[in-house]
Amino acid sequence: MAIERQSYLTRRSFLLAGGAGLLAAVPLARAGIRAARHPDEIFLSASDGADGRHFVTACDLRGRELFSVEVDTRCHGVALHPSHPGRAIVVARRPGTIAYDVDVHAGVIQRRLESARDRHFYGHAAFSRDGRVLFTSENDIPRSQGVVAVRDAEDLRVLAEIPTYGIGPHELLALPDGDTLAIANGGLVTDLADGKQRRRDLNIPDMDPSLVFVDVRSGRLLEQARPDDHFASVRHLALARDGTVAVAMQYEGPETNPYPVLGFHRGGSAIETVSAPHELRVRMQRYAASVCVSSTGVAAVTCPRGDTVAFFSTNGDLVASHEVRDAGGVATIAGGSRFLVTTGLGEMREFDARTGLQVADPERIAEIRWDNHAVATLRG
Amino acid sequence: MEQHRFDPHASRTDVRPDLDGHPAAVNYGAAPPRGASARSGWAAGIAALVGAALMGLSCGGGIGGGQQGSLPTTQVGRSSRLLEDLAWTALLPQYQAMTASFGTLDDAIAAFCDAPAAAGLDATRAAWRSAMESWVAASMFQLGPIAEDNRALRIEFWPDANNNVPRAVEQMLVRDDTLSADTLARQSVAAQGLPALERLLFDPEADALVEFTSGDRAARRCTYARAIGGNLLGIARAVEAAWASDGGYATQLASAGRGSDVFATREAAIDEVVNGLFTALSASRDDRLAGPLGGDTAAEAKSFRAESVWSGNSFANLAASLRGAQAIYDGRAGFGFDDYLRASSRDALASQITETFASLQAEITALPVTLAEAVQDEDLRPRVVALLDHATTLAGLIETDLSSAMDVKIGFNSNDGD
């Protein structure tokens, strides 16, 4: 299944040649700065090739592709197993029906998971903290209601299904208590009859997005928090050490309202949006793709429409922002001291997780378009 | 395509559209009196206010138009002028044309239903075609007020893979509840718009005139048609007002990077516009041509997928979609992307895109039958395939050549919607 992209062949042989010392002077002149940098860390992300084919790709932090496995459909989120850093579930983007169980160290797809009849995925999954179950966010198609399938982590069989108390669930977060799942309910009904390319949303005027906390054993709703504007579709989540949940949103209301699409939930029923200067809010273009919180308590949010990456402290204050074209994935690396940001132009950039300042030059693989989400793990 | 040397601001006070989506007259003089006509006078009044607002916005800055009659000399100046003219000269008139044609349609429905007769049905059908085409032209720009409140889907729910429109129309006809423009606005989007009205006016299963005059649901049919007409006009007016109002979308687009709440920079606005144009052209090609072609042979044709299949208006819609796209590209009489390209010594590309639009229009005009018939006809089908190929060429010119010339990246994650 590991089909190599034609266009990578030349680059790969170039790298091999470089390793053999032939062309070493060219890359090392630049690579010297970062040669010692977290050499064991790699990241995994869905990607597209320049020719539109779809892949799951692993890459090291120096921009060297480790493998690309071709997949049938464009993928989105990556769920890393908490105790097996070589195992990840990569989910087709909504409204896909396929997920892939990837052996990151071997560079192969071990298994292909299909959603049940009358269900489709929403591009995200998460393992429980103990690694024994996998949660997938899904659509109960006949009822157009969100559900989470609770699956055996070994054979991926559905053990139970719990409601998300909303429509269009997206990213999931297994909280450290082991019992609670945080779920982003985007609130949008996708028109499935329209095919998978142009995903029409049918209920924007009535959308009711929320962040919910659900007891995974009983399926009971523990808490439901709504943004202060019902057009703010709650899509992506990240957890801070103090339990604060960072909430990345996509604003479906009037374009003339530069809604700040990052908020924090600190308990209770409110999602408090960040205090960003008006100019930055306009620049974010009402659309966040991915969010990540470092151990230093800084949240990074990517805004590909606005070509912006912004960093906020979890109390909501702006730390830094940068123009980064088509910024998509963001992950913590180097023990949480840095953020990795990937882009649709094939770039990999690193930022200091405390200051939000860019560190080192960006790497780039021109043939790759990184999808919205990246997850860091360790080499095998 | 800049055809005139004129003060770019003074001209915007009176751009009165005709029914097929083109400004019939560009009057460089004073605004017409308010209420000059029931439908367009209001729009012209707003346009006058907007013209005044724009003067304040870009005068004195030395950018975006600058000296009267001269082309902007800097890149910043060209970008500003491009966005101003896109907003005021290319797009706002398109929405004004839509309001006017929806108004004519609403009037035609009223006249026909007051005294149903063959001539009235013909007039209403003709008004429907004009309304459809003005909408399709406007629909090629998908940003801004049209994206709110499900407006685009409410005007035209299509593609309709699940036959939602016929079912919704059926349901609306058998019910006896109160039905007005306001109550219809809260019903299923499939019941609200131009395809639903098309179903009534060009009923594929019955004689529409008989149904409107003596059918057992004749009265309901008229009540429903009137509600659709009023609902459509309400949407068009709301969209136009949201564009033309003080601080509205035209101002937001024109003032990108200069205080706009929507676009932080000119580049961001141009990026969105070019991405949007590519997206609209690709979707139009896929839905309007690839869908009905079905597979590789005439036997695989899916003629039922053609847009406006009941009225047979598919090719006219396709032509309108290209006119709408071309307006975004060349800015009509204003400073468009073609002018920008020429000012950047990319004359060949500018002409190539313009010529591709023109040859597509000529190919459409030359087809003697409806799209639904053409895709099933062994002899004519290759010409539809050629249209598809040339539509792909056009989308490619926007995606690759125009975006590279404008330093725009066709987004990957930014177009994802996830």
Side-chain angles (χ1 to χ4, degrees), chain A residues 7-64:
Chain A
S7 53
Y8 285 11
L9 285 172
T10 43
R11 198 175 48 76
R12 178 159 301 188
S13 20
F14 168 81
L15 288 167
L16 286 172
L22 273 169
L23 289 161
V26 183
L28 285 186
R30 290 183 56 223
I33 315 167
R34 58 186 81 80
R37 213 171 60 198
H38 26 82
D40 291 332
E41 277 187 292
I42 61 173
F43 71 92
L44 192 67
S45 171
S47 75
D48 265 26
D51 58 1
R53 288 157 69 199
H54 312 298
F55 299 88
V56 172
T57 299
C59 192
D60 74 11
L61 298 181
R62 285 198 249 163
R64 292 183 300 206

Short mmCIF file of all heavy atoms in Angstrom, two decimals, chain A residues 7-64:
data_model
loop_
_atom_site.label_atom_id
_atom_site.label_comp_id
_atom_site.label_asym_id
_atom_site.label_seq_id
_atom_site.Cartn_x
_atom_site.Cartn_y
_atom_site.Cartn_z
N SER A 7 6.89 12.38 -7.69
CA SER A 7 7.69 13.60 -7.59
C SER A 7 8.64 13.57 -6.40
O SER A 7 9.55 14.37 -6.32
CB SER A 7 6.76 14.80 -7.46
OG SER A 7 5.85 14.58 -6.40
N TYR A 8 8.42 12.66 -5.47
CA TYR A 8 9.31 12.61 -4.31
C TYR A 8 10.60 11.85 -4.63
O TYR A 8 11.58 11.97 -3.92
CB TYR A 8 8.63 11.88 -3.16
CG TYR A 8 7.57 12.68 -2.49
CD1 TYR A 8 7.11 13.87 -3.04
CD2 TYR A 8 7.02 12.26 -1.29
CE1 TYR A 8 6.13 14.60 -2.43
CE2 TYR A 8 6.04 12.99 -0.66
CZ TYR A 8 5.60 14.15 -1.24
OH TYR A 8 4.63 14.86 -0.61
N LEU A 9 10.53 11.05 -5.68
CA LEU A 9 11.67 10.17 -5.93
C LEU A 9 12.96 10.95 -6.08
O LEU A 9 13.98 10.63 -5.48
CB LEU A 9 11.41 9.33 -7.18
CG LEU A 9 10.41 8.19 -6.96
CD1 LEU A 9 10.06 7.54 -8.28
CD2 LEU A 9 10.98 7.17 -5.99
N THR A 10 12.88 12.00 -6.86
CA THR A 10 14.11 12.77 -7.12
C THR A 10 14.61 13.37 -5.82
O THR A 10 15.80 13.34 -5.53
CB THR A 10 13.83 13.89 -8.12
OG1 THR A 10 12.60 14.49 -7.75
CG2 THR A 10 13.73 13.33 -9.52
N ARG A 11 13.68 13.89 -5.03
CA ARG A 11 14.12 14.53 -3.80
C ARG A 11 14.70 13.50 -2.84
O ARG A 11 15.69 13.73 -2.17
CB ARG A 11 12.94 15.22 -3.14
CG ARG A 11 13.32 16.24 -2.13
CD ARG A 11 12.10 16.96 -1.64
NE ARG A 11 11.06 15.99 -1.29
CZ ARG A 11 11.09 15.28 -0.19
NH1 ARG A 11 12.09 15.40 0.66
NH2 ARG A 11 10.13 14.43 0.08
N ARG A 12 14.05 12.33 -2.82
CA ARG A 12 14.54 11.31 -1.90
C ARG A 12 15.94 10.87 -2.31
O ARG A 12 16.82 10.73 -1.48
CB ARG A 12 13.60 10.12 -1.89
CG ARG A 12 14.10 9.03 -1.00
CD ARG A 12 12.98 8.13 -0.60
NE ARG A 12 11.93 8.87 0.09
CZ ARG A 12 10.91 8.28 0.67
NH1 ARG A 12 10.79 6.99 0.65
NH2 ARG A 12 10.01 9.00 1.29
N SER A 13 16.17 10.66 -3.60
CA SER A 13 17.51 10.23 -3.99
C SER A 13 18.52 11.33 -3.68
O SER A 13 19.65 11.06 -3.32
CB SER A 13 17.56 9.82 -5.46
OG SER A 13 16.50 10.36 -6.17
N PHE A 14 18.05 12.56 -3.78
CA PHE A 14 18.92 13.67 -3.42
C PHE A 14 19.32 13.58 -1.95
O PHE A 14 20.49 13.71 -1.59
CB PHE A 14 18.18 14.99 -3.68
CG PHE A 14 18.85 16.19 -3.09
CD1 PHE A 14 19.91 16.80 -3.74
CD2 PHE A 14 18.42 16.71 -1.88
CE1 PHE A 14 20.53 17.91 -3.19
CE2 PHE A 14 19.04 17.82 -1.34
CZ PHE A 14 20.10 18.41 -1.98
N LEU A 15 18.35 13.28 -1.11
CA LEU A 15 18.65 13.19 0.32
C LEU A 15 19.57 12.01 0.61
O LEU A 15 20.49 12.11 1.40
CB LEU A 15 17.35 13.05 1.11
CG LEU A 15 16.54 14.34 1.17
CD1 LEU A 15 15.15 14.06 1.69
CD2 LEU A 15 17.23 15.38 2.03
N LEU A 16 19.33 10.92 -0.09
CA LEU A 16 20.21 9.77 0.10
C LEU A 16 21.63 10.14 -0.31
O LEU A 16 22.60 9.87 0.38
CB LEU A 16 19.71 8.59 -0.74
CG LEU A 16 18.47 7.90 -0.20
CD1 LEU A 16 17.95 6.88 -1.19
CD2 LEU A 16 18.77 7.25 1.15
N ALA A 17 21.72 10.83 -1.43
CA ALA A 17 23.03 11.25 -1.90
C ALA A 17 23.67 12.17 -0.87
O ALA A 17 24.86 12.06 -0.56
CB ALA A 17 22.89 11.96 -3.24
N GLY A 18 22.85 13.07 -0.31
CA GLY A 18 23.37 13.99 0.71
C GLY A 18 23.91 13.21 1.90
O GLY A 18 24.97 13.51 2.42
N GLY A 19 23.17 12.17 2.28
CA GLY A 19 23.60 11.35 3.39
C GLY A 19 24.93 10.67 3.09
O GLY A 19 25.75 10.48 3.98
N ALA A 20 25.16 10.37 1.86
CA ALA A 20 26.40 9.71 1.48
C ALA A 20 27.53 10.71 1.31
O ALA A 20 28.64 10.34 0.97
CB ALA A 20 26.19 8.93 0.18
N GLY A 21 27.24 11.95 1.54
CA GLY A 21 28.30 12.94 1.50
C GLY A 21 28.48 13.61 0.16
O GLY A 21 29.29 14.50 0.01
N LEU A 22 27.67 13.22 -0.81
CA LEU A 22 27.89 13.75 -2.15
C LEU A 22 27.51 15.22 -2.27
O LEU A 22 28.28 16.02 -2.76
CB LEU A 22 27.08 12.93 -3.16
CG LEU A 22 27.78 11.69 -3.68
CD1 LEU A 22 26.81 10.81 -4.45
CD2 LEU A 22 28.96 12.09 -4.57
N LEU A 23 26.32 15.52 -1.85
CA LEU A 23 25.85 16.89 -2.00
C LEU A 23 25.72 17.55 -0.63
O LEU A 23 24.95 18.47 -0.44
CB LEU A 23 24.50 16.90 -2.72
CG LEU A 23 24.56 16.53 -4.20
CD1 LEU A 23 23.19 16.11 -4.70
CD2 LEU A 23 25.09 17.69 -5.01
N ALA A 24 26.48 17.06 0.30
CA ALA A 24 26.28 17.45 1.68
C ALA A 24 26.43 18.94 1.92
O ALA A 24 25.72 19.51 2.73
CB ALA A 24 27.26 16.69 2.57
N ALA A 25 27.30 19.59 1.21
CA ALA A 25 27.58 20.99 1.49
C ALA A 25 26.34 21.85 1.33
O ALA A 25 26.13 22.78 2.09
CB ALA A 25 28.69 21.48 0.58
N VAL A 26 25.51 21.51 0.37
CA VAL A 26 24.36 22.38 0.09
C VAL A 26 23.36 22.37 1.24
O VAL A 26 23.11 23.41 1.85
CB VAL A 26 23.69 22.01 -1.24
CG1 VAL A 26 22.58 22.96 -1.54
CG2 VAL A 26 24.74 22.01 -2.35
N PRO A 27 22.82 21.22 1.62
CA PRO A 27 21.84 21.26 2.71
C PRO A 27 22.44 21.59 4.07
O PRO A 27 21.82 22.28 4.86
CB PRO A 27 21.23 19.86 2.70
CG PRO A 27 22.19 19.01 1.97
CD PRO A 27 22.97 19.87 1.05
N LEU A 28 23.63 21.16 4.33
CA LEU A 28 24.17 21.33 5.68
C LEU A 28 24.48 22.79 6.01
O LEU A 28 24.45 23.18 7.16
CB LEU A 28 25.42 20.48 5.87
CG LEU A 28 25.12 18.98 6.05
CD1 LEU A 28 26.39 18.22 6.38
CD2 LEU A 28 24.08 18.76 7.13
N ALA A 29 24.76 23.58 5.00
CA ALA A 29 25.02 24.99 5.26
C ALA A 29 23.84 25.58 6.02
O ALA A 29 24.02 26.41 6.91
CB ALA A 29 25.23 25.72 3.95
N ARG A 30 22.63 25.13 5.68
CA ARG A 30 21.46 25.64 6.39
C ARG A 30 21.09 24.74 7.56
O ARG A 30 20.70 25.22 8.60
CB ARG A 30 20.28 25.74 5.43
CG ARG A 30 20.44 26.83 4.40
CD ARG A 30 19.20 26.92 3.53
NE ARG A 30 18.02 27.13 4.36
CZ ARG A 30 16.88 26.50 4.16
NH1 ARG A 30 16.78 25.61 3.21
NH2 ARG A 30 15.85 26.74 4.94
N ALA A 31 21.27 23.47 7.36
CA ALA A 31 20.81 22.53 8.38
C ALA A 31 21.67 22.55 9.63
O ALA A 31 21.24 22.09 10.67
CB ALA A 31 20.77 21.12 7.80
N GLY A 32 22.85 23.11 9.53
CA GLY A 32 23.77 23.11 10.66
C GLY A 32 23.18 23.70 11.92
O GLY A 32 23.42 23.20 13.02
N ILE A 33 22.38 24.73 11.74
CA ILE A 33 21.79 25.41 12.89
C ILE A 33 20.94 24.45 13.73
O ILE A 33 20.88 24.56 14.93
CB ILE A 33 20.84 26.54 12.43
CG1 ILE A 33 21.49 27.36 11.32
CG2 ILE A 33 20.41 27.40 13.59
CD1 ILE A 33 20.51 28.28 10.60
N ARG A 34 20.29 23.54 13.05
CA ARG A 34 19.30 22.76 13.77
C ARG A 34 19.62 21.27 13.79
O ARG A 34 18.77 20.47 14.09
CB ARG A 34 17.92 22.98 13.16
CG ARG A 34 17.83 22.62 11.69
CD ARG A 34 16.48 23.00 11.15
NE ARG A 34 16.41 24.42 10.82
CZ ARG A 34 16.90 24.94 9.70
NH1 ARG A 34 17.50 24.18 8.82
NH2 ARG A 34 16.79 26.21 9.45
N ALA A 35 20.85 20.95 13.51
CA ALA A 35 21.20 19.53 13.41
C ALA A 35 20.94 18.78 14.70
O ALA A 35 20.53 17.64 14.69
CB ALA A 35 22.66 19.38 13.01
N ALA A 36 21.17 19.43 15.84
CA ALA A 36 21.03 18.73 17.11
C ALA A 36 19.62 18.80 17.67
O ALA A 36 19.37 18.37 18.79
CB ALA A 36 22.01 19.33 18.11
N ARG A 37 18.73 19.36 16.89
CA ARG A 37 17.43 19.67 17.45
C ARG A 37 16.52 18.44 17.50
O ARG A 37 16.25 17.84 16.48
CB ARG A 37 16.79 20.74 16.58
CG ARG A 37 15.92 21.68 17.32
CD ARG A 37 15.54 22.80 16.40
NE ARG A 37 14.80 22.31 15.24
CZ ARG A 37 14.64 23.02 14.13
NH1 ARG A 37 15.21 24.18 14.01
NH2 ARG A 37 13.95 22.55 13.13
N HIS A 38 16.05 18.14 18.68
CA HIS A 38 15.10 17.04 18.90
C HIS A 38 15.09 16.03 17.75
O HIS A 38 14.12 15.94 17.00
CB HIS A 38 13.69 17.54 19.18
CG HIS A 38 13.39 18.90 18.60
ND1 HIS A 38 13.03 19.08 17.31
CD2 HIS A 38 13.44 20.14 19.16
CE1 HIS A 38 12.85 20.39 17.08
NE2 HIS A 38 13.10 21.04 18.18
N PRO A 39 16.16 15.28 17.60
CA PRO A 39 16.29 14.37 16.45
C PRO A 39 15.32 13.19 16.48
O PRO A 39 15.06 12.60 15.44
CB PRO A 39 17.73 13.89 16.55
CG PRO A 39 18.08 14.05 17.99
CD PRO A 39 17.32 15.24 18.48
N ASP A 40 14.78 12.86 17.65
CA ASP A 40 13.90 11.70 17.72
C ASP A 40 12.45 12.05 17.39
O ASP A 40 11.62 11.16 17.24
CB ASP A 40 13.94 11.09 19.13
CG ASP A 40 15.29 10.46 19.39
OD1 ASP A 40 15.93 10.04 18.40
OD2 ASP A 40 15.70 10.43 20.55
N GLU A 41 12.17 13.33 17.31
CA GLU A 41 10.77 13.69 17.10
C GLU A 41 10.40 13.69 15.63
O GLU A 41 11.16 14.13 14.77
CB GLU A 41 10.50 15.08 17.69
CG GLU A 41 10.23 15.01 19.17
CD GLU A 41 9.80 16.35 19.71
OE1 GLU A 41 10.63 17.26 19.74
OE2 GLU A 41 8.63 16.48 20.09
N ILE A 42 9.23 13.20 15.39
CA ILE A 42 8.66 13.22 14.04
C ILE A 42 7.21 13.69 14.17
O ILE A 42 6.70 13.79 15.28
CB ILE A 42 8.72 11.83 13.36
CG1 ILE A 42 7.89 10.81 14.17
CG2 ILE A 42 10.17 11.36 13.23
CD1 ILE A 42 7.75 9.47 13.47
N PHE A 43 6.60 13.98 13.05
CA PHE A 43 5.18 14.29 13.14
C PHE A 43 4.44 13.58 12.02
O PHE A 43 5.02 13.17 11.01
CB PHE A 43 4.92 15.80 13.12
CG PHE A 43 5.15 16.45 11.80
CD1 PHE A 43 4.13 16.61 10.89
CD2 PHE A 43 6.41 16.92 11.46
CE1 PHE A 43 4.34 17.22 9.66
CE2 PHE A 43 6.65 17.53 10.24
CZ PHE A 43 5.61 17.69 9.33
N LEU A 44 3.15 13.44 12.27
CA LEU A 44 2.27 12.72 11.36
C LEU A 44 1.15 13.67 10.95
O LEU A 44 0.61 14.40 11.79
CB LEU A 44 1.71 11.51 12.10
CG LEU A 44 0.99 10.45 11.28
CD1 LEU A 44 1.99 9.75 10.36
CD2 LEU A 44 0.33 9.43 12.21
N SER A 45 0.81 13.63 9.68
CA SER A 45 -0.25 14.51 9.21
C SER A 45 -0.86 13.95 7.94
O SER A 45 -0.18 13.25 7.17
CB SER A 45 0.33 15.91 8.92
OG SER A 45 -0.63 16.72 8.27
N ALA A 46 -2.11 14.23 7.72
CA ALA A 46 -2.69 13.96 6.41
C ALA A 46 -2.08 14.96 5.44
O ALA A 46 -1.71 16.07 5.83
CB ALA A 46 -4.20 14.13 6.46
N SER A 47 -1.95 14.56 4.20
CA SER A 47 -1.41 15.49 3.21
C SER A 47 -2.02 15.20 1.85
O SER A 47 -2.57 14.13 1.62
CB SER A 47 0.12 15.37 3.13
OG SER A 47 0.49 14.19 2.44
N ASP A 48 -1.90 16.18 0.98
CA ASP A 48 -2.23 15.98 -0.43
C ASP A 48 -0.96 16.22 -1.23
O ASP A 48 -0.12 17.05 -0.83
CB ASP A 48 -3.31 16.96 -0.89
CG ASP A 48 -4.71 16.36 -0.80
OD1 ASP A 48 -4.90 15.45 0.04
OD2 ASP A 48 -5.59 16.81 -1.55
N GLY A 49 -0.83 15.54 -2.34
CA GLY A 49 0.25 15.85 -3.26
C GLY A 49 -0.16 16.97 -4.18
O GLY A 49 -1.34 17.35 -4.24
N ALA A 50 0.80 17.51 -4.90
CA ALA A 50 0.49 18.60 -5.82
C ALA A 50 -0.50 18.14 -6.89
O ALA A 50 -1.23 18.94 -7.45
CB ALA A 50 1.77 19.12 -6.46
N ASP A 51 -0.53 16.84 -7.15
CA ASP A 51 -1.43 16.31 -8.17
C ASP A 51 -2.80 15.95 -7.60
O ASP A 51 -3.62 15.37 -8.29
CB ASP A 51 -0.80 15.08 -8.83
CG ASP A 51 -0.48 13.99 -7.81
OD1 ASP A 51 -0.76 14.19 -6.61
OD2 ASP A 51 0.04 12.93 -8.21
N GLY A 52 -3.01 16.27 -6.31
CA GLY A 52 -4.33 16.05 -5.73
C GLY A 52 -4.52 14.66 -5.13
O GLY A 52 -5.60 14.36 -4.63
N ARG A 53 -3.49 13.81 -5.17
CA ARG A 53 -3.63 12.51 -4.51
C ARG A 53 -3.51 12.70 -2.99
O ARG A 53 -2.95 13.67 -2.51
CB ARG A 53 -2.56 11.54 -5.03
CG ARG A 53 -2.84 11.09 -6.46
CD ARG A 53 -1.58 10.62 -7.15
NE ARG A 53 -1.09 9.37 -6.60
CZ ARG A 53 0.17 8.93 -6.77
NH1 ARG A 53 1.05 9.66 -7.42
NH2 ARG A 53 0.53 7.78 -6.26
N HIS A 54 -4.05 11.73 -2.25
CA HIS A 54 -4.14 11.87 -0.79
C HIS A 54 -3.18 10.91 -0.09
O HIS A 54 -3.05 9.76 -0.50
CB HIS A 54 -5.56 11.59 -0.33
CG HIS A 54 -6.60 12.33 -1.11
ND1 HIS A 54 -6.67 13.70 -1.15
CD2 HIS A 54 -7.60 11.87 -1.91
CE1 HIS A 54 -7.68 14.07 -1.93
NE2 HIS A 54 -8.26 12.98 -2.40
N PHE A 55 -2.59 11.39 0.99
CA PHE A 55 -1.60 10.59 1.71
C PHE A 55 -1.72 10.77 3.21
O PHE A 55 -2.29 11.75 3.69
CB PHE A 55 -0.18 11.01 1.30
CG PHE A 55 0.12 10.83 -0.16
CD1 PHE A 55 -0.18 11.83 -1.07
CD2 PHE A 55 0.66 9.64 -0.63
CE1 PHE A 55 0.06 11.67 -2.42
CE2 PHE A 55 0.91 9.47 -1.99
CZ PHE A 55 0.61 10.48 -2.88
N VAL A 56 -1.14 9.81 3.93
CA VAL A 56 -0.80 10.01 5.33
C VAL A 56 0.73 10.07 5.34
O VAL A 56 1.39 9.16 4.81
CB VAL A 56 -1.30 8.85 6.21
CG1 VAL A 56 -0.75 8.99 7.62
CG2 VAL A 56 -2.83 8.83 6.22
N THR A 57 1.26 11.13 5.89
CA THR A 57 2.70 11.37 5.77
C THR A 57 3.34 11.54 7.14
O THR A 57 2.77 12.20 8.03
CB THR A 57 2.95 12.64 4.92
OG1 THR A 57 2.41 12.44 3.62
CG2 THR A 57 4.45 12.93 4.78
N ALA A 58 4.52 10.96 7.30
CA ALA A 58 5.32 11.20 8.49
C ALA A 58 6.60 11.90 8.05
O ALA A 58 7.13 11.62 6.97
CB ALA A 58 5.66 9.89 9.19
N CYS A 59 7.07 12.78 8.90
CA CYS A 59 8.17 13.64 8.50
C CYS A 59 8.97 13.96 9.75
O CYS A 59 8.40 14.04 10.85
CB CYS A 59 7.55 14.91 7.93
SG CYS A 59 8.65 16.00 7.08
N ASP A 60 10.29 14.13 9.62
CA ASP A 60 11.02 14.59 10.80
C ASP A 60 11.03 16.12 10.82
O ASP A 60 10.51 16.77 9.91
CB ASP A 60 12.41 13.96 10.88
CG ASP A 60 13.39 14.54 9.88
OD1 ASP A 60 13.07 15.58 9.25
OD2 ASP A 60 14.47 13.95 9.71
N LEU A 61 11.60 16.67 11.88
CA LEU A 61 11.47 18.12 12.05
C LEU A 61 12.46 18.90 11.20
O LEU A 61 12.45 20.13 11.18
CB LEU A 61 11.60 18.49 13.53
CG LEU A 61 10.51 17.87 14.41
CD1 LEU A 61 10.68 18.28 15.86
CD2 LEU A 61 9.12 18.25 13.92
N ARG A 62 13.32 18.18 10.52
CA ARG A 62 14.19 18.87 9.58
C ARG A 62 13.62 18.84 8.17
O ARG A 62 14.31 19.11 7.20
CB ARG A 62 15.58 18.22 9.60
CG ARG A 62 16.33 18.64 10.86
CD ARG A 62 17.79 18.38 10.69
NE ARG A 62 18.21 17.30 11.57
CZ ARG A 62 19.34 16.64 11.41
NH1 ARG A 62 20.13 16.90 10.38
NH2 ARG A 62 19.68 15.71 12.26
N GLY A 63 12.36 18.47 8.09
CA GLY A 63 11.72 18.51 6.78
C GLY A 63 12.03 17.32 5.92
O GLY A 63 11.92 17.39 4.70
N ARG A 64 12.43 16.23 6.53
CA ARG A 64 12.70 15.02 5.74
C ARG A 64 11.51 14.07 5.87
O ARG A 64 11.18 13.64 6.98
CB ARG A 64 13.98 14.35 6.20
CG ARG A 64 15.20 15.19 5.88
CD ARG A 64 16.47 14.50 6.26
NE ARG A 64 16.53 14.18 7.67
CZ ARG A 64 17.67 14.04 8.35
NH1 ARG A 64 18.82 14.16 7.73
NH2 ARG A 64 17.66 13.76 9.63
#
